[in-house]
């Protein structure tokens, strides 16, 4: 195997780690917002959200660990290939690929949890908008009745 083969993974791993960091920062921002709302007493039932966010943070951590481990193994693989220790280089490159694959599978699980959380939020919006519409109709009806009483 040529030294350029593991080098092909460098851009992919770098972009993947950037995406993972972005997911981590976004999740951290959600947690900080939830924390601020909880301090203000605006979060009545957040236990499901807290469990989901804790799980997501844990998964993102694992994704990042396996991604970084993949990059390290890839780099060491290239070093061994440079030293013409082809067998060790190939084994480490294979382990790098395994580590990358684990990272990607964990990313799929985290994405699934994230999508479920968004769907849960959408259901909450849907429920709120229905009750909000009912309240508006009720208020409009009460105002109309008051206007009729005044005009009589």
């Amino acid at each position: 195997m040529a030294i350029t083969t593991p080098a092909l993974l460098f851009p992919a791993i770098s972009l993947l780690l950037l995406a993972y960091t972005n997911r981590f920062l976004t999740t951290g921002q959600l947690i900080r917002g939830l924390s601020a709302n909880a301090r203000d007493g605006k979060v009545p039932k957040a236990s499901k959200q807290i469990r989901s966010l804790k799980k997501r943070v844990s998964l993102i951590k694992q994704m990042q660990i396996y991604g970084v481990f993949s990059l390290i193994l890839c780099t060491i693989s290239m070093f061994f290939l440079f030293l013409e220790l082809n067998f060790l280089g190939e084994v480490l490159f294979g382990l790098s690929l395994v580590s990358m694959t684990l990272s990607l599978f964990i990313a799929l699980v985290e994405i699934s949890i994230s999508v479920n959380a968004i769907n849960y939020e959408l259901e909450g919006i849907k429920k709120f908008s229905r009750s909000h519409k009912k309240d508006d109709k009720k208020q409009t009806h009460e105002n109309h009745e008051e206007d009729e009483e005044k005009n009589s």
Side-chain angles (χ1 to χ4, degrees), residues 92-112:
L92 288 174
F93 180 65
L95 290 174
S96 173
L97 293 175
V98 169
S99 183
M100 172 68 76
T101 303
L102 284 172
S103 177
L104 292 170
F105 277 121
I106 295 168
L108 283 174
V109 172
E110 193 275 334
I111 289 168
S112 174

Side-chain angles (χ1 to χ4, degrees), residues 111-126:
I111 289 168
S112 174
I113 291 171
S114 178
V115 168
N116 288 339
I118 290 170
N119 285 333
Y120 180 75
E121 288 294 323
L122 288 172
E123 286 301 314
I125 292 169
K126 187 176 176 182

Side-chain angles (χ1 to χ4, degrees), residues 1-9 78 81:
M1 174 178 5
I3 195 169
T4 56
T5 303
L8 292 174
L9 271 187
M78 288 176 61
L81 291 171

